[in-house]
């Protein structure tokens, strides 16, 4: 292969990896998974095969239900710090392995308003905080328009923010129903512990996760209930960036939130 062929073969390999979702380097040293799996296959070969199959069958029988595991881990968390720790230790969601950081929350716990978004994007994954990219900047401007600020010293003007998923999906793909269901117990507990007066469900994924409903265009603007608290579905700021004509409805929803708080 000449140098040019080799360079384009390497580039094609990189593009293929990015397409599979491996679009950031997360380890200091490269890991050769092909060599690792060849080594473990040869360890399991020959006389070990039957024993390995028996172990695999018995562990399959004992495989825990991830949703039940999530429920007990969440229920056993008495504080927000404990909940963040339990989420960090939760190993059933594949997204955790591709993400750089757990994105738990931002803003002020105890604020009257709690916002639940979808999932971290690239900037959130890098910084470990929700809504810090372009959508987050628009969210901050929307909140400021009704006198709210995620870091306001007075809890009456402050906001607390989290997402349905705490790990970035590869290439920002939409969360699957299985991922939403698996992590929902943590979100329910998160809202119970943060104890806001109102919850905002930002976009379709949040409506699916909190209310079990989809169709944000129909749901937005109508007060609902989540975990015993008033819950307002609103357009997601990323949707507003792509569809600026919908800002009029978003403004109406912000005014509805403001009058509920007043
Ligand atoms: N979109 C979300 O829903 N959450 C974030 O944290 C960032 C973008």
């Amino acid at each position: 292969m000449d140098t040019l062929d080799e360079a384009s073969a390497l580039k094609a390999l990189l593009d293929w990896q990015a397409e599979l979702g491996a679009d950031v380097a997360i380890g200091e040293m490269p890991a050769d998974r092909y060599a690792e799996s060849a080594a473990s296959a040869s360890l399991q070969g020959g006389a070990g095969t039957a024993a390995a199959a028996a172990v695999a069958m018995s562990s399959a029988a004992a495989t825990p239900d991830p949703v039940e595991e999530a429920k007990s881990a969440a229920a056993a968390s008495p504080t927000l710090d404990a909940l963040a720790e339990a989420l960090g230790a939760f190993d059933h969601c594949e997204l955790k392995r591709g993400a750089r950081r757990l994105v738990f929350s931002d803003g002020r716990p105890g604020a009257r308003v709690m916002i639940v978004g979808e999932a971290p994007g690239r900037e959130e994954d890098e910084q470990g905080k929700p809504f810090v990219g372009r959508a987050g900047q628009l969210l901050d401007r929307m909140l400021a328009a009704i006198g709210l600020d995620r870091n306001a010293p007075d809890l009456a003007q402050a906001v607390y923010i989290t997402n349905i998923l705490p790990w970035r999906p590869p290439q920002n793909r939409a969360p699957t129903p299985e991922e939403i269901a698996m992590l929902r117990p943590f979100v329910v507990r998160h809202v119970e512990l943060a104890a806001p007066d109102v919850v905002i469900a930002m976009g379709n994924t949040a409506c699916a996760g909190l209310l079990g409903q989809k169709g944000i265009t129909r749901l937005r603007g109508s007060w609902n209930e989540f975990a015993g608290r008033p819950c307002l579905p609103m357009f997601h700021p990323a949707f507003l960036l792509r569809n600026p004509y919908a800002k009029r409805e978003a403004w109406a929803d912000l005014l509805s939130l403001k009058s509920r708080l007043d």
Side-chain angles (χ1 to χ4, degrees), residues 114-171:
M114 179 165 179
I115 291 177
V116 182
E118 178 174 312
R122 188 170 52 80
E123 285 96 340
E124 289 78 18
D125 183 52
E126 276 165 14
Q127 296 183 36
K129 282 187 189 176
F131 282 102
V132 290
R134 275 186 73 218
Q137 287 155 19
L138 175 57
L139 174 63
D140 285 341
R141 291 200 296 279
M142 289 162 65
L143 294 173
I146 53 164
L148 299 177
D149 174 344
R150 64 172 95 183
N151 293 313
D154 182 349
L155 287 175
Q157 274 94 49
V159 177
Y160 185 60
I161 307 179
T162 191
N163 280 313
I164 294 288
L165 300 187
W167 295 291
R168 180 193 180 195
Q171 295 190 301

Side-chain angles (χ1 to χ4, degrees), residues 5 8 20 22 68 84 117 134 145 163 183 213 247:
D5 282 351
S8 41
L20 291 179
E68 289 308 315
R134 275 186 73 218
N163 280 313
L183 292 155
Q213 296 183 55
K247 285 188 182 167

Side-chain angles (χ1 to χ4, degrees), residues 3-76:
T3 324
L4 205 60
D5 282 351
E6 199 176 334
S8 41
L10 286 173
K11 163 90 174 47
L13 191 57
L14 260 184
D15 289 346
W16 177 68
Q17 291 190 351
E19 215 167 288
L20 291 179
D23 57 352
V24 284
I26 55 174
E28 292 288 313
M29 298 296 294
D32 185 348
R33 306 284 179 218
Y34 294 109
E36 283 171 16
S37 77
S40 89
S42 77
L43 265 183
Q44 287 177 13
T49 310
V55 170
M57 277 170 65
S58 73
S59 76
T63 301
D65 174 354
V67 177
E68 289 308 315
E69 296 264 307
K71 279 186 190 161
S72 25

